Amino acid sequence: MENAFHRCRKCYVKDSVTIMLLENCLGLNISTGLLQTNDKVALKEITRQLNLENVVGDKVFGSFAENLVFLLEALRKGDRSSSCPVLFILDEFDLFVHHKNQTLLYNLFDVSQSAQTPVTVIGLTCRQDVLELLEKRVKSRFSHRQIYLMNSFDFKQYIMIFKKQLALPAEFPDESFAQKWNTNVQHLSEDKIVQDVLRNLFHYTKDLRSLHLLLMLALSNVTVHHPLITASDLQEASKQYRTDSRANIVHGLSVLEICLMIAMKHLNDVHEGEPFNFQMVYNEFQKFIQRKAHCMYNFEKPVVMKAFEHLIQLELVRPIERPNIRAQREYLLMKLLLDNTQIMDALQVYPNCPVDVKQWAASSLSWL
């Protein structure tokens, strides 16, 4: 990010003297929400990058409040003609929004609007609804300037990015291995199987972080005995990347919980996706038990309720509204978070699933 910033400045400022002055006069501060997990950590990083250590004379500032006051006073000193401009870049901006009370964001936005200090705050995020997460007092300090950046490269350029991300630099210590590695990367980029994998990902999302994740999964297979990545490594990485995490959870459910999922699936089919409650699910399950009493144990209702609550904890089912203390648990409206395809795919690989249960899942409305 910093390199890109410097390249942008050099594109617009041709005078070398002006560049040198900008290097000395412009304070660049980069923070990321992945590392600065709370305001206290973020504030320490800001003071470190601005060379404003929290020691003035013999006084040491320890608390967050004292550090914040010290930083704000330092930023407010001087005026726009003599003060050093400061540019704050907050990467993963949506993570800063989740900090307690959004204190740091409020004060940075507030300072940036001051006539005394030339401060600009830029937030980078992939979430388009990030403004809805801001508190009212923070939103009032925000300038509401938004720039949407979309990746405009085509698939040929995407292949070039793929090669560039995998290629080893010329200064790599082992020159012979680097040459073998880069030759292998070139062959991979021309392989039809690899191109199909990359094309599927390209049409799914152009986000380069998805490409980085795919490559990381493929590179995790590299060992001393398997020094070069292959097309099969990328195929396997693609399968891992596209793995349905919720459907994977189904593999670890009990047969009773599987039956409740199937009962909810049938209720969704009958009522066209309308919310349901536990009592409706239990009644549906009882219909199946009455028809197939020889293959399924008839669990008591409290046991079935416990299994239903476990599905809620796994976030396979969620309440439509916040539960009310006075409301009976059996009649809280719920929504199934898996579609029919996910349930059926999970049942195909579920170990030792009773045949009657699979047939019940595959049936349409015949059980009703």
Side-chain angles (χ1 to χ4, degrees):
M1 188 187 299
E2 192 167 0
N3 291 335
F5 177 74
H6 290 314
R7 285 200 301 270
C8 288
R9 283 195 301 195
K10 290 178 182 180
C11 288
Y12 291 101
V13 185
K14 301 297 183 182
D15 185 3
S16 60
V17 177
T18 309
I19 292 174
M20 185 175 65
L21 289 173
L22 280 173
E23 293 285 347
N24 295 329
C25 296
L26 182 61
L28 177 64
N29 186 284
I30 302 175
S31 301
T32 172
L34 294 173
L35 297 179
Q36 283 78 55
T37 54
N38 56 53
D39 282 353
K40 188 173 183 180
V41 177
L43 192 58
K44 285 185 178 179
E45 179 62 19
I46 289 172
T47 54
R48 185 191 67 80
Q49 291 191 33
L50 294 179
N51 297 321
L52 296 173
E53 280 73 12
N54 58 355
V55 179
V56 179
D58 296 329
K59 188 173 182 181
V60 179
F61 302 104
S63 68
F64 171 75
E66 290 174 333
N67 275 317
L68 183 60
V69 170
F70 171 68
L71 174 64
L72 295 177
E73 287 181 355
L75 291 175
R76 287 189 175 117
K77 283 183 179 179
D79 52 38
R80 289 189 173 272
S81 60
S82 60
S83 298
C84 172
V86 181
L87 174 62
F88 290 93
I89 299 179
L90 305 181
D91 196 14
E92 304 290 347
F93 181 77
D94 51 293
L95 298 181
F96 284 94
V97 171
H98 293 297
H99 292 183
K100 185 179 179 181
N101 297 329
Q102 302 178 2
T103 305
L104 183 63
L105 288 181
Y106 173 78
N107 285 282
L108 287 179
F109 286 165
D110 190 51
V111 169
S112 66
Q113 291 190 347
S114 170
Q116 297 175 320
T117 314
V119 171
T120 299
V121 181
I122 298 177
L124 307 177
T125 181
C126 292
R127 292 194 58 167
Q128 296 188 9
D129 63 340
V130 69
L131 292 184
E132 304 302 322
L133 304 177
L134 293 175
E135 293 183 3
K136 187 178 292 185
R137 67 190 186 106
V138 180
K139 194 182 292 187
S140 67
R141 297 293 190 275
F142 177 57
S143 64
H144 293 275
R145 296 176 185 173
Q146 301 176 66
I147 301 175
Y148 294 96
L149 302 176
M150 303 296 177
N151 292 327
S152 58
F153 46 76
D154 57 17
F155 184 65
K156 288 184 178 179
Q157 293 171 314
Y158 192 71
I159 293 290
M160 294 294 293
I161 295 171
F162 163 78
K163 291 193 293 185
K164 188 174 181 181
Q165 293 298 316
L166 279 181
L168 292 176
E171 59 272 13
F172 191 76
D174 192 339
E175 293 182 6
S176 61
F177 178 76
Q179 187 175 1
K180 289 180 182 178
W181 178 273
N182 291 339
T183 303
N184 181 64
V185 170
Q186 180 63 35
H187 291 158
L188 285 175
S189 66
E190 299 168 358
D191 189 283
K192 186 179 183 304
I193 296 175
V194 174
Q195 288 187 356
D196 288 341
V197 169
L198 294 177
R199 187 175 284 106
N200 288 336
L201 183 61
F202 176 78
H203 290 310
Y204 177 70
T205 174
K206 290 185 178 181
D207 187 359
L208 292 182
R209 290 184 297 183
S210 298
L211 177 62
H212 293 161
L213 178 58
L214 177 74
L215 297 181
M216 183 190 70
L217 292 172
L219 288 170
S220 63
N221 294 321
V222 174
T223 62
V224 176
H225 304 292
H226 182 66
L228 302 175
I229 61 174
T230 62
S232 59
D233 290 334
L234 284 165
Q235 271 189 316
E236 187 61 31
S238 179
K239 291 179 182 177
Q240 293 179 32
Y241 176 80
R242 292 177 174 272
T243 298
D244 192 332
S245 57
R246 281 206 179 104
N248 275 346
I249 295 176
V250 177
H251 302 161
L253 298 179
S254 65
V255 176
L256 171 59
E257 290 165 340
I258 288 287
C259 289
L260 294 183
M261 296 287 295
I262 296 171
M264 289 183 264
K265 168 184 173 294
H266 285 309
L267 287 173
N268 272 343
D269 292 340
V270 174
H271 301 289
E272 299 180 346
E274 289 296 316
F276 52 82
N277 56 40
F278 168 75
Q279 189 61 47
M280 295 168 66
V281 175
Y282 182 74
N283 292 340
E284 188 70 21
F285 176 62
Q286 286 299 308
K287 291 179 184 179
F288 171 67
I289 292 296
Q290 290 169 8
R291 291 173 181 264
K292 297 291 181 179
H294 63 279
C295 71
M296 281 292 297
Y297 177 76
N298 190 8
F299 296 92
E300 295 182 359
K301 191 171 182 180
V303 177
V304 181
M305 184 66 183
K306 194 70 176 177
F308 187 78
E309 290 175 342
H310 185 227
L311 296 177
I312 298 175
Q313 291 175 354
L314 293 174
E315 297 184 357
L316 298 176
V317 186
R318 69 171 175 85
I320 296 296
E321 299 176 350
R322 178 177 291 184
N324 192 338
I325 299 176
R326 297 180 180 178
Q328 290 182 301
R329 294 181 302 169
E330 293 87 340
Y331 301 102
L332 289 175
L333 290 179
M334 300 286 175
K335 183 176 180 64
L336 181 62
L337 299 182
L338 293 176
D339 58 33
N340 290 0
T341 304
Q342 289 174 305
I343 294 174
M344 296 307 298
D345 290 345
L347 280 177
Q348 296 304 316
V349 293
Y350 186 85
N352 302 321
C353 183
V355 177
D356 290 319
V357 173
K358 285 187 177 181
Q359 291 176 349
W360 181 36
S363 64
S364 54
L365 307 180
S366 57
W367 295 101
L368 303 176

